[in-house]
Amino acid sequence: MLYTHATIITVNSSREIILDGAILVQGNLIAAVDKTDALTKLHPTEEVVNLEGRIIIPGLISTHMHTAQTLLRGAADDLELVSWLCERIWVLQGNFTNEDGYAAARISIAEMLLTGTTCFLESMFADRYGFDGLCRAVEESGIRGCLGKIVMDSGKYAGDPKWAMHPGLIENREMSLLGALDMHKKWDKAANDRIRVWFGARTPGGVSDALYKEMTSISKSQGIPITMHCAEVAADRAFFKTLSHTPMSYCDSVGLLGPNTVLVHMVHLDDSDIAKLAETKTHVAHCPTSNSKLASGICRVPELLDSGVNVGLGTDGAPCNNTNDLLQEMKLAGIIHKAKSYDPTLVPAETVMEMATINGAKALGLGASIGSLEVGKKADFVAIDMRYVHLQPYYSPVSAVVYCATGKDVDMVVVDGKVVVKSGKLATMDEEEVWKEGEKRGHEVVMRAGLTEKVKGRWPIR
């Protein structure tokens, strides 16, 4: 298949942008990227898809996502973190069934595909949600998923009893760590290698030192990557201080740091933490919308990047975003650090594009196969339709994508060489069926949790 007449942001090593460009896809790989005239002459009999008026970018990569939480979109708005987590989100998630988990995975994936995300990192899928269902949803939809199965052995957060998990979410070593190993044997590299199974460790205070050390030892011996929330809120840093540690000195002490680890949020870091991240080549997932909405603070992304730390982007879960649209996340990532620093040159659009594509690929250990549009890489790309008044005129294709486009402008999505979104419509899922099932099951979870009178807006409805 030959995709022609598009502006192509390659994110290759030279960061080339090709006007009137074309991509030749053979099987699930990119066979050529060049000017349209050159490739149509070389391949005159190839089936052609005309993408005139579109900008093609590498498939977006979300390095932090909670698929289960999309059923809870808008269920805990404008609450401080303890109430948000302990009185709403954990209570609701503690009432999930396997069927709810599958419906949540499907609606999450549908939204991600429709808005241009072709690969995502699920942070910590609980046993009660049904990990098999998550994997089935990835397999059926055509998306690429790195799926973190939760690892934990304590129901507390930051060692504080007032931050107690709902009993329905608490897992022990056997259910979490050993369950993750079972799922790794069953699903890792399934669906034509679109599925990778990770350890999704709970944040420090929710995992004993012994379990962390066991998990990190297995991670190193079996090559199973790790993702974990860390230093998200001030309470996290205070907890590390009670252990006579900084966030990264503690993580280092239990073996968490290294090139196979993605640490999420990372808001409350000092200079020594940043230096340790750079030294160990540990990756960071930046979630500016979630951090802003929950008033967690702002990650020191400019300093991380200047120190050589690889930083990707994530949307986090729908209750603290409230969307899974990574294009919207890209705009905030490019703006928020300017406002904090009073320096408009920090984190320019090109850096944001890298964070959402090639940096994300590197964080997931997939930099050799996705994240840029180059010969030999997997054919994962997104076509954004620029033929609208809110997108014209533009002078820099990268700037137009980062600062103007949203997921509603996505016209076509290709993952692993297959078209999964065409003309803005899902090709692998029934969108109406997915959202109706998600709506039904979301309301059932709220009712089952006994929160119907609390999960609503502040203004009267009649």
Side-chain angles (χ1 to χ4, degrees):
M1 186 73 72
L2 188 60
Y3 299 86
T4 63
H5 297 299
T7 295
I8 302 175
I9 301 173
T10 65
V11 198
N12 65 14
S13 58
S14 301
R15 301 301 192 255
E16 290 177 309
I17 297 172
I18 303 173
L19 303 180
D20 194 20
I23 299 176
L24 177 65
V25 175
Q26 294 179 340
N28 68 341
L29 299 176
I30 296 172
V33 183
D34 205 341
K35 291 280 192 178
T36 293
D37 282 353
L39 290 188
T40 52
K41 286 175 183 175
L42 285 172
H43 306 278
T45 62
E46 193 72 36
E47 185 178 352
V48 171
V49 176
N50 186 340
L51 293 178
E52 185 177 359
R54 283 77 155 185
I55 293 176
I56 293 179
I57 62 174
L60 299 175
I61 298 167
S62 179
T63 53
H64 185 59
M65 164 65 179
H66 293 266
T67 49
Q69 289 185 358
T70 301
L71 288 194
L72 313 180
R73 190 194 318 267
D77 288 339
D78 309 320
L79 297 176
E80 54 82 28
L81 187 60
V82 176
S83 299
W84 183 89
L85 194 59
C86 301
E87 298 172 14
R88 291 286 178 90
I89 301 306
W90 278 346
V91 177
L92 292 164
Q93 291 180 164
N95 280 276
F96 266 51
T97 65
N98 281 196
E99 293 75 21
D100 298 328
Y102 178 61
R106 293 185 78 217
I107 196 170
S108 299
I109 290 167
E111 183 183 359
M112 285 190 283
L113 287 175
L114 285 166
T115 55
T117 293
T118 58
C119 181
F120 71 99
L121 175 55
E122 159 60 48
S123 179
M124 47 181 189
F125 207 77
D127 192 78
R128 72 172 302 124
Y129 310 153
F131 197 83
D132 285 322
L134 171 62
C135 294
R136 282 203 330 273
V138 170
E139 185 173 40
E140 294 161 357
S141 67
I143 202 167
R144 201 177 295 281
C146 296
L147 310 178
K149 171 79 167 62
I150 196 167
V151 176
M152 64 172 291
D153 58 358
S154 171
K156 295 178 183 177
Y157 182 98
D160 191 331
K162 81 171 182 284
W163 297 57
M165 290 187 87
H166 186 277
L169 289 176
I170 296 173
E171 300 183 26
N172 57 21
R173 169 187 175 273
E174 288 69 30
M175 182 181 287
S176 65
L177 178 67
L178 302 189
L181 289 172
D182 287 343
M183 291 298 100
H184 186 269
K185 290 174 186 173
K186 182 174 182 179
W187 286 104
D188 192 60
K189 298 188 179 178
N192 199 31
D193 200 21
R194 286 187 291 105
I195 293 174
R196 297 291 179 95
V197 178
W198 286 44
F199 289 134
R202 279 202 67 217
T203 195
V207 184
S208 66
D209 288 8
L211 187 58
Y212 272 138
K213 290 176 180 178
E214 183 180 6
M215 178 191 70
T216 57
S217 175
I218 295 169
S219 169
K220 290 175 174 63
S221 64
Q222 297 192 29
I224 303 174
I226 298 168
T227 186
M228 185 185 79
H229 297 67
C230 191
E232 180 178 2
V233 296
D236 290 315
R237 188 161 191 98
F239 172 71
F240 290 120
K241 190 174 182 180
T242 67
L243 305 176
S244 301
H245 275 292
T246 71
M248 293 306 96
S249 71
Y250 175 80
C251 289
D252 196 31
S253 74
V254 293
L256 281 163
L257 301 184
N260 287 329
T261 295
V262 176
L263 297 178
V264 184
H265 299 305
M266 302 292 278
V267 173
H268 297 274
L269 305 178
D270 64 22
D271 290 347
S272 71
D273 292 319
I274 292 174
K276 181 61 71 173
L277 287 165
E279 176 192 329
T280 57
K281 295 181 169 49
T282 305
H283 310 278
V284 170
H286 179 38
C287 307
T289 300
S290 170
N291 297 156
S292 299
K293 190 178 181 207
L294 293 177
S296 303
I298 300 173
C299 178
R300 296 174 62 187
V301 167
E303 293 94 332
L304 288 165
L305 293 171
D306 285 347
S307 297
V309 177
N310 183 52
V311 181
L313 277 181
T315 59
D316 206 345
C320 57
N321 188 299
N322 297 34
T323 175
N324 299 313
D325 181 352
L326 201 65
L327 281 163
Q328 293 190 46
E329 202 72 25
M330 290 166 70
K331 181 174 183 176
L332 184 58
I335 289 173
I336 196 167
H337 304 287
K338 296 171 170 60
K340 181 185 177 185
S341 64
Y342 302 99
D343 182 353
T345 67
L346 288 182
V347 193
E350 290 79 6
T351 298
V352 175
M353 179 64 71
E354 291 170 342
M355 290 165 68
T357 56
I358 192 63
N359 289 12
K362 290 174 180 176
L364 303 187
L366 300 174
S369 57
I370 61 173
S372 61
L373 302 176
E374 301 180 76
V375 173
K377 284 198 168 187
K378 299 289 178 68
D380 291 11
F381 58 87
V382 176
I384 297 171
D385 195 340
M386 304 299 292
R387 300 172 299 175
Y388 295 101
V389 293
H390 64 281
L391 297 174
Q392 292 290 343
Y394 70 86
Y395 306 99
S396 160
V398 175
S399 175
V401 170
V402 171
Y403 293 130
C404 299
T406 71
K408 296 296 289 184
D409 302 313
V410 169
D411 177 63
M412 176 175 282
V413 178
V414 175
V415 183
D416 212 39
K418 295 183 173 65
V419 176
V420 293
V421 174
K422 184 177 182 180
S423 301
K425 303 293 182 185
L426 288 166
T428 57
M429 308 169 79
D430 182 329
E431 183 177 354
E432 184 175 4
E433 176 196 346
V434 168
W435 74 254
K436 284 186 174 179
E437 181 70 6
E439 179 190 39
K440 169 179 169 288
R441 290 197 171 273
H443 285 282
E444 287 175 353
V445 168
V446 172
M447 187 177 299
R448 201 179 304 134
L451 292 178
T452 303
E453 290 304 309
K454 291 186 177 181
V455 178
K456 60 183 180 181
R458 292 171 175 82
W459 289 356
I461 296 175
R462 64 186 181 96

